[in-house]
Amino acid sequence: MEQRGNFTSKLGVVMAAAGSAVGLGNVWRFPTEVGNNGGAAFILIYLGCVLFVGIPVMLSEFVIGRHTHANTISAYNQLAPGTWWRIQGINGVFVAFIILSYYVVISGWTFYYLFEALIGGLSVSADYTAYFNDFVSSPWKPLLCAIAFMAMTHLVIVRGVQEGIERSSKVMMPLLLLIIGVLVVCSFSMPGTSEGLKFLLEPDFSKVTPSVVLSAMGQAFFSLSLAMGCLCTYASYFGSETNLVKTACSVGAIDTTVAVMSGFFIFPAVFSVSGVEANAGPGLVFITLPNVFNMAFHSVPVVGYVFTVLFYLLLLLAALTSSISLHESVTVYAVESLRMTRSRASIWVSVLCMSLGVLCVYSFGPLSDFKLLGLTVFDLFDFVSSKILLPLGGIVICLFTGWYLDKRLVLAEVTNEGRLRFKLFRVYMFLVKYVVPVAIAAIFVNELI
Ligand code: PFF
């Protein structure tokens, strides 16, 4: 069997894990949720969810991954041989596979929009809704784009943990952070800045309902890549000196900063153009924003061009670092448990995922009338993975760490065998034992109802 890879530097560890977390969820879903749920009050609640739910779950995944140095399925097999807990290992890898198959579709769209932005195609359309609908229902364009995106992910994965994942994350993540900084600065020069900032920073608590709290928690889960085996897999490449608590906090902080900064450049732009609603829904990124950028910068088209290109490049980088982690979670299982070489395993994962991806691509075109349980294949995958398997996985991870694992093992892992101090250990254990499972169960029941 091939030798197991390892991340070799602190920066590599944080950039890879943050790369998994920072994705379309930050740039696309977060601002949409903020828009739909009334702005700053949502952001405050979201911060609470990251702190009290997201970081404890992430830390638990790190404990499981680093302790076993194995893929997610083997990790649970090692820690809980012969018990039902092992199902969570299978769940993690399965969900990563399903998510990857539809994540490549949206990522393919960003690839297309980047290409169109580069050749100036996005600045000429008068009707962005028709433009988007034409594209997604085309029989070949979105498919080719999804395949191209999968190929990029594949190329990183075949190169391995150090040369592929760590190296690419160390380049792509700083670039992504730089781009987002430039976009925020550019956006602050627009006339709608103060209105956009007011929308983001003035909390309106009258809008807070239980369902807003639940949306914030669901968003935190998706955005931090929790319960999908990705962070557990990455933690299996951490060295014995990696500080798990610090890493979890850094990843949570980077992910949240990117999400909030996305709001900081999107809303000033949106408020600079009259007649566009802030809560424009999921069409925000592919219909509203190209239109907004075009109109907001129409007196200085060069700035508009650069802004639009940078925006879609940002989305593409964010999507790529996340899809790499999803792919790796499945590939390393095939390498270690099915005893394949890495290149063979990654080809299998890419091809199988893309085969399901085809159904997801065509959910917006020829297969849009093909419904299972009333949902298109794309929506079904999204629903089953993010609304059912993910929250269930989150609950199981917490119960596993809080109730099943030996407390001494968990303490040894989070303190690097006693070499570090973790003053909040009891608080952490209390959260994973009681608070987080109950909170996630509440989302779950609410979503199903
Ligand atoms: N966290 C990613 C995002 O915000 O887009 C999505 C994601 C990546 C989810 C990896 C799950 C995962 F395992």
Side-chain angles (χ1 to χ4, degrees), residues 214-330:
L214 299 174
S215 303
M217 187 128 53
Q219 170 63 17
F221 242 76
F222 185 84
S223 186
L224 294 170
S225 302
L226 300 176
M228 286 170 247
C230 292
L231 293 180
C232 184
T233 302
Y234 275 8
S236 75
Y237 305 134
F238 291 178
S240 56
E241 73 301 334
T242 300
N243 184 332
L244 299 187
V245 179
K246 250 193 187 166
T247 307
C249 293
S250 310
V251 173
I254 294 175
D255 189 67
T256 308
T257 307
V258 172
V260 174
M261 281 175 81
S262 300
F264 274 144
F265 74 79
I266 287 175
F267 291 114
V270 169
F271 281 104
S272 299
V273 176
S274 58
V276 180
E277 288 282 317
N279 55 352
L284 183 72
V285 163
F286 297 104
I287 297 172
T288 311
L289 289 183
N291 184 17
V292 161
F293 297 157
N294 200 14
M295 297 197 327
F297 293 110
H298 80 117
S299 53
V300 263
V302 181
V303 181
Y305 175 85
V306 174
F307 198 93
T308 311
V309 169
L310 284 181
F311 173 69
Y312 288 105
L313 180 60
L314 169 77
L315 271 179
L316 186 72
L317 289 174
L320 193 55
T321 50
S322 294
S323 70
I324 289 168
S325 71
L326 290 162
H327 200 302
E328 176 64 14
S329 176
V330 190

Side-chain angles (χ1 to χ4, degrees), residues 165-393:
I165 302 172
E166 183 174 357
R167 226 163 163 208
S168 63
S169 307
K170 274 159 95 174
V171 175
M172 288 196 281
M173 285 306 290
L175 184 59
L176 183 150
L177 295 173
L178 179 72
I179 293 178
I180 211 160
V182 172
L183 290 176
V184 172
V185 171
C186 254
S187 197
F188 277 13
S189 61
M190 292 182 172
T193 306
S194 57
E195 220 183 321
L197 290 184
K198 202 169 128 205
F199 177 73
L200 273 174
L201 298 177
E202 238 177 44
D204 175 3
F205 285 101
S206 67
K207 297 239 168 76
V208 177
T209 59
S211 96
V212 169
V213 178
L214 299 174
S215 303
M217 187 128 53
Q219 170 63 17
F221 242 76
F222 185 84
S223 186
L224 294 170
S225 302
L226 300 176
M228 286 170 247
C230 292
L231 293 180
C232 184
T233 302
Y234 275 8
S236 75
Y237 305 134
F238 291 178
S240 56
E241 73 301 334
T242 300
N243 184 332
L244 299 187
V245 179
K246 250 193 187 166
T247 307
C249 293
S250 310
V251 173
I254 294 175
D255 189 67
T256 308
T257 307
V258 172
V260 174
M261 281 175 81
S262 300
F264 274 144
F265 74 79
I266 287 175
F267 291 114
V270 169
F271 281 104
S272 299
V273 176
S274 58
V276 180
E277 288 282 317
N279 55 352
L284 183 72
V285 163
F286 297 104
I287 297 172
T288 311
L289 289 183
N291 184 17
V292 161
F293 297 157
N294 200 14
M295 297 197 327
F297 293 110
H298 80 117
S299 53
V300 263
V302 181
V303 181
Y305 175 85
V306 174
F307 198 93
T308 311
V309 169
L310 284 181
F311 173 69
Y312 288 105
L313 180 60
L314 169 77
L315 271 179
L316 186 72
L317 289 174
L320 193 55
T321 50
S322 294
S323 70
I324 289 168
S325 71
L326 290 162
H327 200 302
E328 176 64 14
S329 176
V330 190
T331 301
V332 69
Y333 161 70
V335 171
E336 292 177 355
S337 300
L338 308 179
R339 306 202 166 250
M340 294 185 188
T341 58
R342 176 168 275 271
S343 54
R344 199 151 207 240
S346 30
I347 287 182
W348 271 107
V349 175
S350 299
V351 170
L352 289 178
C353 246
M354 211 43 245
S355 316
L356 284 184
V358 174
L359 298 178
C360 296
V361 168
Y362 287 146
S363 294
F364 297 89
L367 290 181
S368 59
D369 291 329
F370 175 70
K371 305 244 162 96
L372 296 165
L373 304 172
L375 298 170
T376 62
V377 178
F378 181 98
D379 289 337
L380 184 72
F381 282 7
D382 184 25
F383 178 79
V384 171
S385 53
S386 24
K387 301 270 157 52
I388 298 185
L389 298 176
L390 227 141
L392 283 182

Side-chain angles (χ1 to χ4, degrees), residues 21-98:
V22 172
L24 296 173
N26 301 63
V27 189
W28 172 15
R29 257 182 87 170
F30 182 80
T32 306
E33 293 274 321
V34 174
N36 288 338
N37 294 311
F42 178 86
I43 299 184
L44 282 181
I45 295 167
Y46 178 80
L47 291 179
C49 292
V50 169
L51 214 58
F52 295 109
V53 178
I55 292 180
V57 177
M58 193 186 297
L59 190 54
S60 305
E61 292 210 44
F62 283 174
V63 166
I64 297 166
R66 211 259 305 260
H67 184 78
T68 53
H69 288 299
N71 67 78
T72 311
I73 293 186
S74 303
Y76 283 85
N77 279 343
Q78 269 184 41
L79 288 169
T83 66
W84 285 98
W85 294 109
R86 291 179 307 158
I87 292 180
Q88 175 50 26
I90 300 168
N91 182 33
V93 174
F94 177 73
V95 180
F97 184 79
I98 295 290

